[in-house]
Amino acid sequence: MRVHITGASGSGTSTLGAALAAERSMRHLDADGYYWLPTTPPFQTKRDPADRLALLRRDLLSGGDVVLSGSIVGWGAELEDAFDLIVFLYLPAALRVQRLRQREIEHLGQADEAFLRWAAQYDEGPPEGRSLARHQAWLAQRACPVLRLQADESVAQRLDLVRRAWPSQAIRPGA
């Protein structure tokens, strides 16, 4: 089974992806690991689009159950319909930016204000990258079921909703 968890930066895609993968013994992939080259500090240099797609394709389609968190909109067209379920997370901008600021300070020692301004524009549509309108249009074209979670719920509550959204033979409680 392949599950893609997507949404705005700060909505919890990586957190839910890691939790679902751990609970179900699935591999967890994060789109940022393919989109960005490893740098210190992170997220400074984009990977060549053909290379990122080839790497993700290899890892996503190599067999076994996998959860992909993040977004492949705009660069992963070849893989967009390779999922059995897509989970879309949405939270209000103020909450997302608060979470991002806290995460950046915890992990990097400071927040990147330019990144936070970019992330805050998600609902209105930043000039590049993720936007609510772009995600909504992309989701409308998908062939698999889409579960939309649009509340500030705990990871446990979100996991429960994911379990209920998929047939029991695909995600078995306690499996």
Side-chain angles (χ1 to χ4, degrees), residues 3-168:
V3 177
H4 183 30
I5 302 174
T6 193
S9 293
S11 63
T13 63
S14 297
T15 301
L16 182 59
L20 180 62
E23 178 182 272
R24 300 290 163 218
S25 299
M26 301 168 80
R27 285 181 299 129
H28 179 226
L29 310 175
D30 195 290
D32 279 346
Y34 299 90
Y35 191 87
W36 299 99
L37 288 169
T39 58
T40 303
F43 314 121
Q44 301 298 308
T45 306
K46 295 176 184 177
R47 190 183 304 270
D48 175 78
D51 292 344
R52 77 175 81 123
L53 180 59
L55 291 169
L56 179 57
R57 185 179 196 290
R58 178 199 68 202
D59 292 348
L60 187 65
L61 304 178
S62 66
D65 295 334
V66 63
V67 177
L68 173 67
S69 56
S71 181
I72 61 171
V73 174
W75 65 270
E78 179 182 323
L79 301 171
E80 290 176 344
D81 287 317
F83 301 99
D84 300 298
L85 174 66
I86 295 173
V87 179
F88 174 71
L89 304 180
Y90 176 83
L91 292 173
L95 181 55
R96 292 191 318 264
V97 171
Q98 175 188 359
R99 288 176 165 196
L100 289 169
R101 181 179 303 282
Q102 180 179 349
R103 180 181 76 190
E104 289 216 335
I105 291 170
E106 287 174 8
H107 294 159
L108 304 173
Q110 64 183 13
D112 180 337
E113 294 301 324
F115 168 66
L116 296 178
R117 282 191 302 277
W118 171 85
Q121 297 175 15
Y122 176 82
D123 291 3
E124 293 80 29
E128 295 182 23
R130 295 184 205 184
S131 74
L132 181 57
R134 194 168 184 194
H135 265 142
Q136 297 287 19
W138 182 82
L139 291 167
Q141 297 174 1
R142 301 291 52 91
C144 71
V146 175
L147 172 64
R148 295 169 192 264
L149 302 180
Q150 300 183 37
D152 185 19
E153 298 155 322
S154 70
V155 174
Q157 289 170 311
R158 286 178 168 185
L159 283 171
D160 186 53
L161 292 167
V162 170
R163 278 188 227 108
R164 288 192 269 152
W166 200 247
S168 61

